[in-house]
């Protein structure tokens, strides 16, 4: 009796799989290399250069405030023995205020919703949107269910060059 129950457990699922319609088609996949695509789009390179320039400029502003705060602190250390309690307190507050200014400016420029993020978004979004629409168009034309980016850390161990559509995307974008 137990033997029959054991067989039923294995035979029943196998029978169910046998009756699944064979018309279910295999899904098609494609790969692309986003790094390769972006390197071949001049607008992306120009946008990156703009971001680097503005980032360096803003970083210099933040560093200037930090340097100023450092200089104020060194001067305070040199004068501390000659200052009254009120003067010490005033100088300490001025130093802390300068450090706070530097931190606020850094957050304004480089924070999660800072100016650099907004600038990157405004420069990169049109390029990314164009690439997305092109990939979508190719996918719909060729019947791809899924397109993976081989450049990302998605765990792709091997991807056949035959299913890589990076060059087709670039060609359709005009590059």
């Amino acid at each position: 009796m137990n033997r029959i129950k054991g067989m039923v457990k294995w035979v029943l699922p196998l029978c169910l799989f046998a009756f699944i319609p064979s018309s279910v088609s295999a899904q098609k996949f494609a790969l692309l290399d986003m790094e390769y695509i972006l390197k071949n789009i001049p607008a992306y390179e120009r946008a990156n250069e703009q971001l680097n320039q503005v980032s360096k400029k803003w970083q210099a502003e933040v560093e200037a405030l930090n340097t100023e705060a450092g200089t104020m602190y060194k001067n305070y250390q040199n004068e501390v023995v000659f200052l009254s309690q009120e003067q010490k307190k005033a100088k300490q507050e001025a130093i802390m205020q300068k450090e706070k200014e530097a931190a606020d400016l850094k957050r304004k420029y480089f924070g999660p919703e800072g100016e650099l993020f907004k600038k990157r978004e405004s420069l990169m979004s049109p390029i990314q949107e164009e690439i997305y629409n092109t990939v979508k168009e190719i996918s719909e034309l060729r019947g791809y269910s899924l397109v993976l980016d081989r450049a990302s850390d998605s765990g792709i161990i091997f991807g056949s060059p035959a299913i890589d559509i990076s060059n087709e995307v670039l060609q359709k974008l005009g590059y």
Side-chain angles (χ1 to χ4, degrees):
M1 184 77 162
N2 279 341
R3 193 172 182 191
I4 293 174
K5 283 184 181 178
M7 285 179 66
V8 170
K9 279 185 180 179
W10 291 101
V11 173
L12 188 58
L14 289 174
C15 290
L16 289 175
F17 281 117
F19 292 111
I20 291 177
S22 61
S23 64
V24 176
S25 63
Q27 294 185 356
K28 291 174 68 176
F29 303 99
L31 294 176
L32 61 80
D33 187 335
M34 190 61 82
E35 285 180 18
Y36 171 75
I37 291 171
L38 292 173
K39 283 180 187 173
N40 285 284
I41 297 177
Y44 176 77
E45 293 297 321
R46 286 191 300 272
N48 247 350
E49 185 56 38
Q50 272 185 304
L51 287 171
N52 287 337
Q53 288 174 359
V54 77
S55 177
K56 287 177 185 175
K57 177 185 167 227
W58 290 340
Q59 186 62 40
E61 288 179 35
V62 171
E63 286 175 10
L65 284 176
N66 279 326
T67 302
E68 195 174 331
T71 302
M72 290 170 70
Y73 181 71
K74 285 179 185 174
N75 290 342
Y76 169 77
Q77 284 181 320
N78 292 336
E79 304 171 341
V80 73
V81 292
F82 304 112
L83 300 174
S84 68
Q85 282 302 106
E86 292 168 0
Q87 290 172 322
K88 286 179 187 178
K89 186 176 179 183
K91 292 224 181 229
Q92 289 170 352
E93 287 175 2
I95 293 167
M96 288 190 304
Q97 180 60 34
K98 191 58 72 176
E99 289 172 341
K100 184 182 180 313
E101 277 180 53
D104 289 346
L105 191 62
K106 185 175 183 177
R107 189 173 23 266
K108 175 187 172 195
Y109 287 150
F110 302 107
E113 296 293 321
E115 296 297 317
L116 188 63
F117 173 81
K118 291 174 187 172
K119 185 87 170 160
R120 178 176 286 116
E121 190 75 19
S122 72
L123 291 173
M124 298 300 184
S125 285
I127 297 167
Q128 291 170 335
E129 188 71 26
E130 186 179 18
I131 292 169
Y132 171 79
N133 288 333
T134 302
V135 170
K136 183 178 176 191
E137 185 180 322
I138 291 170
S139 296
E140 289 171 352
L141 181 70
R142 297 264 178 91
Y144 296 132
S145 302
L146 179 67
V147 177
L148 299 169
D149 179 10
R150 71 171 38 196
S152 70
D153 293 332
S154 62
I156 298 173
I157 295 170
F158 171 77
S160 170
I163 63 171
D164 191 324
I165 61 170
S166 302
N167 284 324
E168 187 175 354
V169 170
L170 281 170
Q171 188 176 30
K172 207 158 187 87
L173 287 169
Y175 300 105

